[in-house]
Amino acid sequence: MSDWVPYPEDLAARYRERGYWTGETFGAFLADRAAEFADQVAVVDDRQRWTYRELDERATRMAHGFVARGIARGDRVVVQLPNVAEFFSVVFGLFRAGAVPVFALPPHRFSEISYFCSHTEAVAYVIADRFGGFDYRTLAEQVGVRQVFVLGDPGQHTALADVPVDPTGELPTVDSGDLAFLQLSGGSTGVPKLIPRIHDDYLYSVRESAEICGLGPSSVYLVALPVAHNFPMSSPGVLGALHAGSRIVLASAPSPDVAFGLIQRERVTITGVVPPVALLWLTAAATRPEDLSSLEVLQVGGAKFAEEAARRVGPELGCALQQVFGMAEGLVNYTRFDDPDDLVAISQGRPISPDDELLVVDEDDRPVEPGEVGHLLTRGPYTIRGYYRAEEHNRVAFTDGYYRTGDLVRLLPSGHLVVEGRAKDQINRGGEKVAAEEVENHLIAHPAVHDAALVAVPDSFLGERTCAFVVATAEVTGPQLRAFLRERGLAAYKIPDRVEFVDEFPHTGVGKTSRRDLRALLAAREA
Ligand code: OOB
């Protein structure tokens, strides 16, 4: 069994013929852009300002360091870094060493990280010493991966800066059809799924995204969300910025306190945020003193952006809104700058590629009438054909090469999509995805819990919050259960916002737990 499902050869050939897949690799990509944009500033964070040339040199040194430490072509390395410039030297260093970064997010804890390490058989884990009041070195000790590289004070581990360098050594040859990295899926199953992306498919989406979003050498892209997430990474994100010779500015948090100052200081032209952040910015813009006039485009995606809020962006922030409906599995949709305002306010955009194939189907996989709501299935030149090492799950998540997105959409005559809801057991907490089954499994591990069901609660700020319904067999409280989940090392955003106890679960006709009835029960309890 192979670790991941390759694109069918005939389609791969077509994607190459049409110029989508160009044979470029990430290592070469950076070298090429560094030659072109050498003295332009590539990356700015709180402490540093690197030109394209500097970034390129640092990535090469990093690559030699990793190779010297025994990291070999194809090795998986879990990377969990905050928004700092070193994210780029590390990740491009790994690319050049032929290694495969696994992109963890800063809120992930023992439960997630130990799974990423074991499932991918990672040989190393790259962290910052501390961030957001949390010591990642302690987590590294608990996880027990072979090598730990630390940015900052390494403690008992290896400092990133100390990685020995032999610049005369050879770096491995990397093929554009190789696995480039593993992204995380929001998921709907018991364990998070990992998304295998190759150089060819991802770089295609990056180039097209940069073009659609109008990036060029004078653009300044603010990274407001965690840089390793697919949205700020490639839609057009930091990779789109590097492709176009733009400047990347890293924010340590998306709050107006941090972000607005950076927009003013660095003359930021474009950024991407999730809907709750957009709402905060809309409110803050009225009273904050910072000059946001450089901002040309605010991208909003990751969760549904309410039409009312969408209509406020132009008048209140003085920039264009671009809606982005994407997924780490592949497909990304953008509203375009020449779309009419009404379309930008109500739709989540249209696909990047003429070869993105979209099906909108009913429960029996039959296409719905044009304009009707149905399940979105998709395949194309940058959408995966299967998750990493997940043969069994792939049989239900993919049909004829189509990825079953779990999203309910309506297709407009213009080719734009409107996201109408979701069929998957996932809760979208302001863009942060929570797989119901994963949290339920952790709850059921508690000795006093007989059964658990996690449901979405509508929320005016986050869109949705989580409520855990629990059937208990012994005395236990909501706070105790929440503490239990934290002790098990579950990321904070997955800890239920609310816990409700019931004697038994309502059932559907076939005897499954009825989440719809649970949501109704919650509404009734609130009333
Ligand atoms: C982005 O990626 P993921 O992998 O964290 O989550 C994908 C899911 C989609 O299947 C959909 O359920 C939801 O997030 N979603 C949206 C949305 N954008 C994503 N739902 C409604 N409206 C939107 N605009 O979230 C992601 C990846 C690349 C670019 C942008 C977002």
Side-chain angles (χ1 to χ4, degrees), residues 40-180:
Q40 297 222 52
V41 174
V43 187
V44 178
D45 72 8
D46 290 345
R47 300 162 295 131
Q48 308 169 88
R49 186 174 278 269
W50 297 349
T51 62
Y52 275 80
R53 185 184 289 120
E54 261 179 285
L55 169 58
D56 182 56
E57 286 166 4
R58 283 171 185 270
T60 300
R61 278 204 298 278
M62 210 53 106
H64 284 294
F66 286 130
V67 170
R69 289 275 175 177
I71 304 231
R73 182 176 173 186
D75 280 352
R76 273 80 57 202
V77 175
V78 176
V79 177
Q80 187 180 30
L81 290 173
N83 289 359
V84 290
E86 286 85 355
F87 176 85
F88 296 95
S89 47
V90 165
V91 167
F92 280 99
L94 289 170
F95 286 145
R96 285 185 177 163
V100 176
V102 182
F103 290 128
L105 298 173
H108 288 137
R109 294 293 178 263
F110 179 78
S111 174
E112 290 90 8
I113 300 296
S114 59
Y115 174 77
F116 302 150
C117 288
S118 63
H119 192 66
T120 67
E121 298 171 86
V123 300
Y125 177 33
V126 183
I127 53 173
D129 49 5
R130 302 181 60 85
F131 176 69
F134 182 73
D135 193 328
Y136 289 86
R137 293 162 300 189
T138 320
L139 177 54
E141 273 148 45
Q142 290 162 352
V143 170
V145 67
R146 206 183 312 159
Q147 290 197 75
V148 180
F149 299 108
V150 185
L151 175 65
D153 174 1
Q156 64 182 77
H157 308 291
T158 308
L160 262 182
D162 293 350
V163 177
V165 173
D166 171 15
T168 59
E170 288 255 320
L171 292 175
T173 316
V174 176
D175 189 274
S176 65
D178 286 352
L179 187 58

Side-chain angles (χ1 to χ4, degrees), residues 105 183-187 195 202 225 229-236 273-275 299-305 323-334 347-349 376 403-408 418-422 424 426 428 431-433:
L105 298 173
Q183 258 291 2
L184 305 184
S185 154
I195 295 169
Y202 209 68
L225 301 172
H229 185 271
N230 201 64
F231 182 13
M233 178 164 294
S234 64
S235 305
V273 298
V274 287
Q299 301 183 295
V300 181
K304 176 86 178 237
F305 195 36
Q323 295 219 36
V324 189
F325 164 42
M327 50 208 73
E329 285 82 357
L331 181 70
V332 180
N333 305 275
Y334 297 101
S347 102
Q348 279 65 56
L376 175 63
Y403 166 56
R404 312 186 73 94
T405 66
D407 293 311
L408 297 174
V418 179
V419 181
E420 296 284 2
R422 185 184 59 223
K424 52 192 170 189
Q426 182 187 78
N428 194 331
E432 289 186 309
K433 313 304 181 328

Side-chain angles (χ1 to χ4, degrees), residues 81 113 160 193 391 400 409 450 452:
L81 290 173
I113 300 296
L160 262 182
K193 292 284 172 290
E391 217 181 354
D400 297 334
V409 303
H450 168 70

